[in-house]
């Protein structure tokens, strides 16, 4: 081998070694930034994983209907699933359904009534989980009012919240108890329970797991008429919703979101006090002036998130057919043209496919 060849090799070989080493390093960095090192169930194997932002629109200020979400946040389970959850503050000016259907939120909190109304208007959203397995809403009156049963509500004043189906549902409850179903509705700019306690209205429609417990803690005695005991089909309220676009374009993100969310609610089922504490700690400061209400409400709701032996979030066909048909039969649900909607494809209103199996 000539001296010239030896000189050339002494220069080229070290350069090749450097190129190979640098190339291997850069390739490893590429794998890390792409999240290629994520292990099973969202665990980390030492490489960085980029987070996907998911925007959640609440239906009200944080409360025990939302506990599983705040538990999953507090425990870091969304991050484990590669999600950075952004909870949008509740706004009385725009519903979660609108935020979801317009793409300003990826998921939201709604109800069967909302999903049905949206579908009728041609702005569909889809329920992907039932937060509570059975309806826990009720009409209530003050115990001292003497209005001891629904038929006593004929001719009385009701604090309405403005839904199209509302009057028909309340009327049906009264008729089921033998009344005429005739009452006067008023829409107020104050809290409905406050209006009840100050005598501005005679009865309101509330959730047993929050307003009724809150009244009890304040020494306000109520008569409580659960809606499903008076002829109203059982239905899901609240539910977690998403939109057709999100289902088409982000199915993996929705599955990961629901994996963390379901984990949060399953934990809350088994550990009500610890879950309530996580809600208190994680929600914005000042949300709960009475922490005792959160603990009491959580004790009420935790066993109601799902029936014994059933998976949290699972939705059956019967509630998505019975109650939706009931509110369509009222003739108050209309499309964008103002025409009464009598039928819908009820099976398109919900899905269980994003729940962990």
């Amino acid at each position: 081998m000539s001296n010239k060849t030896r000189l050339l090799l002494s220069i080229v070989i070290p350069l090749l070694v450097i190129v190979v080493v640098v190339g291997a390093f850069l390739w490893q960095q590429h794998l890390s930034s792409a999240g290629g090192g994520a292990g099973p169930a969202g665990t980390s194997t030492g490489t960085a994983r980029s987070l996907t932002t998911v925007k959640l629109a609440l239906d009200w200020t944080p409360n025990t209907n939302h506990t599983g979400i705040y538990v999953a946040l507090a425990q870091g389970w969304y991050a484990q699933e590669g999600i950075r959850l952004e909870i949008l503050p509740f706004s009385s000016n725009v519903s979660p359904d609108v935020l979801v259907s317009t793409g300003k939120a990826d998921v939201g909190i709604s109800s069967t009534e909302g999903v049905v109304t949206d579908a009728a208007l041609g702005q569909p959203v889809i329920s992907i989980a039932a937060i509570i397995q059975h309806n826990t809403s009720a009409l209530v009156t003050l115990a001292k009012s003497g209005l001891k049963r629904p038929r006593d509500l004929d001719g009385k004043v009701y604090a309405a919240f403005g839904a199209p189906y509302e009057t028909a549902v309340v009327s049906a409850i009264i008729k089921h108890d033998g009344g005429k179903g005739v009452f006067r509705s008023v829409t107020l700019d104050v809290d409905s329970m406050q209006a009840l306690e100050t005598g501005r209205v005679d009865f309101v429609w509330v959730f047993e797991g929050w307003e009724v417990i809150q009244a009890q803690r304040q020494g306000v005695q109520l008569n409580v008429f659960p809606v499903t005991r008076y002829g109203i089909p059982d239905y899901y309220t609240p539910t977690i919703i998403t939109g057709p676009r999100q289902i088409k374009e982000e199915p993996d993100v929705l599955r990961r979101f629901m994996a963390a969310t379901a984990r949060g609610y399953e934990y809350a089922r088994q550990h009500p006090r610890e879950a309530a504490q996580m809600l208190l700690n994680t929600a914005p400061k000042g949300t709960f002036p009475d922490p005792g209400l959160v603990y009491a409400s959580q004790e009420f709701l935790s066993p109601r998130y799902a029936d014994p032996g059933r998976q949290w979030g699972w939705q059956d066909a019967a509630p998505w057919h019975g109650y939706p048909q009931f509110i369509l039969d009222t003739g108050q649900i209309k499309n964008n043209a103002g025409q009464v909607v009598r039928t819908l494809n009820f099976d398109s209103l919900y899905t269980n496919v994003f729940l962990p199996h």
Side-chain angles (χ1 to χ4, degrees):
M1 184 183 295
S2 68
N3 290 336
K4 184 176 180 181
T5 301
R6 288 193 185 94
L7 178 60
L8 184 61
L9 289 176
S10 67
I11 295 172
V12 170
I13 291 176
L15 285 175
L16 287 173
V17 171
I18 291 171
V19 168
V20 170
V21 171
V22 171
F25 173 80
L26 292 175
W27 178 247
Q28 182 61 40
Q29 290 296 102
H30 168 74
L31 290 177
S32 297
S33 63
T43 58
S44 173
T45 59
T47 58
R49 182 178 186 181
S50 60
L51 300 182
T52 300
T53 298
V54 172
K55 295 182 179 180
L56 166 67
L58 293 184
D59 58 333
W60 200 250
T61 55
N63 58 69
T64 47
N65 284 344
H66 312 137
T67 300
I69 295 164
Y70 284 92
V71 167
L73 267 177
Q75 299 285 67
W77 293 335
Y78 288 113
Q80 286 184 18
E81 293 292 340
I83 287 173
R84 185 180 75 83
L85 186 66
E86 180 181 343
I87 299 180
L88 304 179
F90 166 71
S91 170
S92 59
N93 297 321
V94 57
S95 71
D97 304 57
V98 170
L99 292 173
V100 168
S101 64
T102 58
K104 293 181 174 62
D106 302 291
V107 289
I109 310 296
S110 185
S111 64
T112 296
E113 298 101 329
V115 173
V116 170
T117 303
D118 297 334
L121 290 172
Q123 300 170 343
V125 295
I126 297 95
S127 176
I128 56 176
I131 290 180
I132 301 171
Q133 194 65 49
H134 300 284
N135 189 294
T136 61
S137 67
L139 302 182
V140 300
T141 65
L142 295 177
K144 64 183 181 182
S145 69
L147 305 173
K148 298 181 179 180
R149 52 190 306 165
R151 70 186 182 198
D152 296 335
L153 303 179
D154 270 331
K156 303 305 179 184
V157 181
Y158 167 67
F161 47 86
Y165 54 83
E166 189 177 5
T167 296
V169 171
V170 174
S171 181
I173 292 170
I174 297 173
K175 289 178 180 178
H176 188 272
D177 193 45
K180 296 178 180 179
V182 179
F183 58 95
R184 185 163 65 92
S185 292
V186 295
T187 303
L188 305 173
D189 56 359
V190 298
D191 176 77
S192 61
M193 285 298 295
Q194 181 184 344
L196 179 68
E197 293 171 27
T198 57
R200 296 179 65 178
V201 298
D202 298 305
F203 66 106
V204 299
W205 190 353
V206 297
F207 284 105
E208 289 187 71
W210 192 260
E211 288 93 345
V212 171
I213 291 175
Q214 185 177 42
Q216 292 170 346
R217 289 181 58 79
Q218 295 172 349
V220 178
Q221 300 301 311
L222 300 173
N223 298 313
V224 181
F225 316 130
V227 300
T228 55
R229 292 186 191 173
Y230 295 94
I232 305 302
D234 196 8
Y235 63 98
Y236 299 122
T237 181
T239 69
I240 297 177
I241 59 169
T242 191
R245 180 194 63 77
Q246 292 90 325
I247 287 177
K248 180 180 179 180
E249 299 178 5
E250 306 168 358
D252 179 62
V253 173
L254 291 173
R255 287 189 183 90
R256 289 187 280 125
F257 166 78
M258 286 309 307
T261 303
R263 193 175 176 186
Y265 279 101
E266 291 290 359
Y267 179 93
R269 289 175 68 183
Q270 303 299 323
H271 309 281
R273 188 164 185 86
E274 294 86 345
Q277 188 62 59
M278 291 181 197
L279 173 60
L280 287 166
N281 293 345
T282 310
K285 290 185 178 180
T287 300
F288 304 109
D290 178 14
L293 170 60
V294 177
Y295 292 118
S297 176
Q298 196 63 58
E299 287 290 343
F300 176 91
L301 277 186
S302 280
R304 290 172 170 81
Y305 284 142
D307 289 338
R310 281 177 61 98
Q311 176 185 4
W312 174 84
W314 193 263
Q315 303 170 94
D316 293 323
W320 278 109
H321 284 250
Y323 184 67
Q325 188 61 62
F326 175 87
I327 60 176
L328 289 183
D329 289 344
T330 68
Q332 299 302 309
I333 305 299
K334 300 178 181 180
N335 60 21
N336 278 324
Q339 301 167 324
V340 174
V341 176
R342 296 292 184 182
T343 60
L344 287 171
N345 177 6
F346 297 135
D347 291 328
S348 70
L349 304 181
Y350 75 101
T351 181
N352 293 313
V353 300
F354 299 108
L355 293 170
H357 295 287

